[in-house]
């Protein structure tokens, strides 16, 4: 009985993790993730640190800040599709 409950718990945890778009591995996300752009001004200075991310628009951005700048300028709902290049 205890083994059965443990299996049910693990299965539920796996479904909840997938539903939230939790990162799996270092380079892949299960589903698009909303970038954190709320703290940014109209024309922020982004760090040039390369940490490429793939946007849901099919464009590879240098980092999340550059994706946010594009979101602000174009007013499009671009999300993070995955870490790394598209």
């Amino acid at each position: 009985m205890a083994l059965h409950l443990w299996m049910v718990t693990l299965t539920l945890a796996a479904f909840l993790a997938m539903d939230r778009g939790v990162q799996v591995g270092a380079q892949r996300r299960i589903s698009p993730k909303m970038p954190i752009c709320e703290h940014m001004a109209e024309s922020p200075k982004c760090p040039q640190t390369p940490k490429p991310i793939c946007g849901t628009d099919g464009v590879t951005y240098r980092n999340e800040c550059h994706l946010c700048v594009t979101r602000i300028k174009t007013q499009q709902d671009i999300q993070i599709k995955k870490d790394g290049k598209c």
Side-chain angles (χ1 to χ4, degrees):
M1 180 67 168
L3 179 60
H4 179 70
L5 287 174
W6 180 247
M7 294 295 285
V8 169
T9 302
L10 286 177
T11 304
L12 266 170
F15 283 122
L16 288 173
M18 287 187 341
D19 187 44
R20 292 183 181 177
V22 172
Q23 189 168 346
V24 176
Q27 296 294 318
R28 199 180 124 216
R29 293 183 191 277
I30 299 252
S31 63
K33 175 186 155 228
M34 189 65 86
I36 301 170
C37 302
E38 289 79 24
H39 65 284
M40 299 181 68
E42 276 299 311
S43 54
K45 282 200 163 202
C46 292
Q48 295 303 311
T49 309
K51 189 176 179 189
I53 57 170
C54 178
T56 52
D57 60 349
V59 175
T60 299
Y61 295 91
R62 178 178 284 273
N63 54 43
E64 189 169 336
C65 179
H66 288 275
L67 184 143
C68 286
V69 168
T70 301
R71 279 178 58 96
I72 291 168
K73 286 182 179 178
T74 64
Q75 297 182 356
Q76 292 181 359
D77 183 26
I78 306 167
Q79 297 181 20
I80 300 171
K81 185 174 183 179
K82 67 176 186 141
D83 293 327
K85 295 179 179 179
C86 291

